[in-house]
Amino acid sequence: MSLTSELDKPSSPITKYLRFVGTLVADAGRGAPWEDACKRLLDLDGLSASMTVPPVAGANPSMVGAAFDYRLRYHLAPCQGQNFVAWHGAILLGRLNTSTQPHLARFFSNLDEMTEQCSPAGCQLGDEEERLLDTYCVVLAQLESVYRTRGEWVPQLPLLKTGSARPQDEPLLALAPTSAVEDVVNLSRSTDAAFGDLIGPVVSGALTYHPNPVFAGSRAIGGADADFIIEGTIFELKTTKSFNIPAIRKALLQLLGYCLLDYDDQYDIRKVGLYFSRQGWVTAWPLWQLIFPPAEVLQRGLVQSEPSEEEVAERLTMLRDLMRQVVEDREIDYEEAFS
């Protein structure tokens, strides 16, 4: 079970609960009674954005999406390979095939050496360095897939020889298809225009940054981890051709789920944000708009009045308590709970 897989099932109790809580988001769908008002409040009325970074022919979309997730992290802050989900995939792969263990360890050592030398955080790399880092990111995406599938999928490894290798000569880089690497290069080059206003302050330390946060309720739902949090705004990165209201609504419900799994309010999340990388579209919303009843949200929008921090915290506590019950397979009486 994972949060994204649950959201793919309309009958899931977790999906039903998130749709009930996030009524404003759900009612922004076609044919809903509050559709037009909800779209206006979420600034989705007349939504349009051109695709500025079209996919490279032959590139695997899932592989590119995961690889660009890693590349964006290198834009935002120095990284160590052992902190990646891909590292856990490498450990699993090494257990499945013990002969790969020294080669996988060398791969991460070469990656860390290379990124320490080029210092990509907040910088525009030269073409050669950019391509090399993006090639590593494509391999990281495949190692992450090993972990996400619990070893049901493993890459076809190239012939691996013993001995040391320079970062640019790393044998495992042969796993990265040229088309995927080119796609990630294009996406990486577009980052400054779309996300540059946040990259600089994160790199300088002016804004707090938490990559791949996990929450108090994550383990109970399959280890749910988000993309990153910047200064109390939780972001979801989407690298997809699909850019429409259904895609945005689904992503917002996913973000709402992460917020409610933060049972102890560890990350003090008060905004949710989306970055559609192919369209260069970055937008954030106050979390309170997703957790209060639509009638109240719409009324507050009319008079330009936001709830107090105490009201938001109280509502979040109640919703998180109920989320815990739903995750623990305990049924809740919606009418009683929200009366």
Side-chain angles (χ1 to χ4, degrees):
M1 179 177 67
S2 68
L3 182 58
T4 51
S5 63
E6 288 297 311
L7 287 171
D8 287 334
K9 298 183 292 186
S11 61
S12 162
I14 293 173
T15 299
K16 290 180 178 179
Y17 177 65
L18 292 177
R19 288 180 61 86
F20 183 84
V21 173
T23 306
L24 185 76
V25 177
D27 281 358
R30 182 174 298 176
W34 297 74
E35 177 185 357
D36 292 339
C38 292
K39 284 181 180 178
R40 283 195 298 272
L41 189 60
L42 294 172
D43 200 23
L44 301 179
D45 194 29
L47 178 72
S48 65
S50 59
M51 185 160 55
T52 56
V53 188
V56 172
N60 181 292
S62 297
M63 185 185 298
V64 170
F68 181 58
D69 182 283
Y70 283 110
R71 182 62 186 94
L72 181 59
R73 283 183 244 176
Y74 280 108
H75 276 287
L76 289 164
C79 302
Q80 290 292 313
Q82 292 189 15
N83 295 327
F84 292 152
V85 174
W87 171 259
H88 299 289
I91 292 175
L92 178 55
L93 183 58
R95 289 172 181 167
L96 295 172
N97 184 349
T98 56
S99 67
T100 66
Q101 291 176 358
H103 305 287
L104 291 165
R106 183 186 60 200
F107 170 84
F108 281 94
S109 176
N110 279 332
L111 171 60
D112 288 344
E113 178 186 337
M114 185 265 294
T115 54
E116 184 177 355
Q117 290 174 353
C118 69
S119 301
C123 298
Q124 279 282 355
L125 299 180
D127 291 343
E128 185 176 341
E129 289 181 326
E130 180 68 49
R131 186 173 184 84
L132 179 59
L133 177 53
D134 296 343
T135 305
Y136 270 94
C137 288
V138 173
V139 179
L140 289 172
Q142 295 182 64
L143 293 174
E144 179 170 325
S145 291
V146 175
Y147 176 78
R148 299 291 186 190
T149 63
R150 300 297 188 264
E152 293 182 9
W153 178 88
V154 296
Q156 185 65 45
L157 297 176
L159 179 64
L160 299 174
K161 299 180 180 179
T162 58
S164 61
R166 298 180 304 167
Q168 59 267 40
D169 298 326
E170 168 56 51
L172 283 172
L173 295 181
L175 287 173
T178 301
S179 56
V181 174
E182 291 177 358
D183 211 351
V184 178
V185 169
N186 295 339
L187 288 163
S188 180
R189 291 304 194 198
S190 73
T191 304
D192 272 350
F195 217 68
D197 289 346
L198 289 173
I199 291 176
V202 168
V203 173
S204 70
L207 298 178
T208 59
Y209 168 65
H210 301 282
N212 269 109
V214 294
F215 311 101
S218 292
R219 182 182 296 273
I221 198 170
D225 57 308
D227 286 337
F228 52 92
I229 299 171
I230 295 177
E231 199 71 20
T233 301
I234 185 169
F235 278 93
E236 178 68 16
L237 170 64
K238 296 296 184 185
T239 301
T240 173
K241 292 188 296 183
S242 299
F243 179 75
N244 49 40
I245 289 177
I248 292 171
R249 289 171 55 229
K250 183 176 180 181
L252 285 174
L253 289 176
Q254 182 180 348
L255 288 169
L256 175 60
Y258 292 138
C259 293
L260 298 188
L261 288 170
D262 188 20
Y263 296 153
D264 51 7
D265 202 26
Q266 176 184 357
Y267 295 102
D268 194 28
I269 302 167
R270 292 300 181 267
K271 296 182 75 175
V272 298
L274 294 176
Y275 174 17
F276 278 77
S277 56
R278 292 206 182 279
Q279 295 76 20
W281 190 80
V282 182
T283 304
W285 298 263
L287 177 58
W288 71 265
Q289 291 186 344
L290 275 62
I291 63 174
F292 280 87
E296 180 176 347
V297 176
L298 293 170
Q299 178 61 32
R300 287 183 177 276
L302 290 174
V303 299
Q304 297 183 339
S305 170
E306 297 186 1
S308 66
E309 172 57 30
E310 291 75 14
E311 290 174 304
V312 174
E314 181 180 354
R315 179 99 179 154
L316 277 173
T317 298
M318 184 267 288
L319 295 176
R320 285 165 171 162
D321 288 344
L322 294 173
M323 180 70 169
R324 189 195 302 265
Q325 294 180 42
V326 174
V327 169
E328 293 174 352
D329 294 326
R330 294 165 56 189
E331 293 187 4
I332 62 173
D333 185 326
Y334 284 75
E335 290 188 8
E336 179 180 349
F338 290 89
S339 60

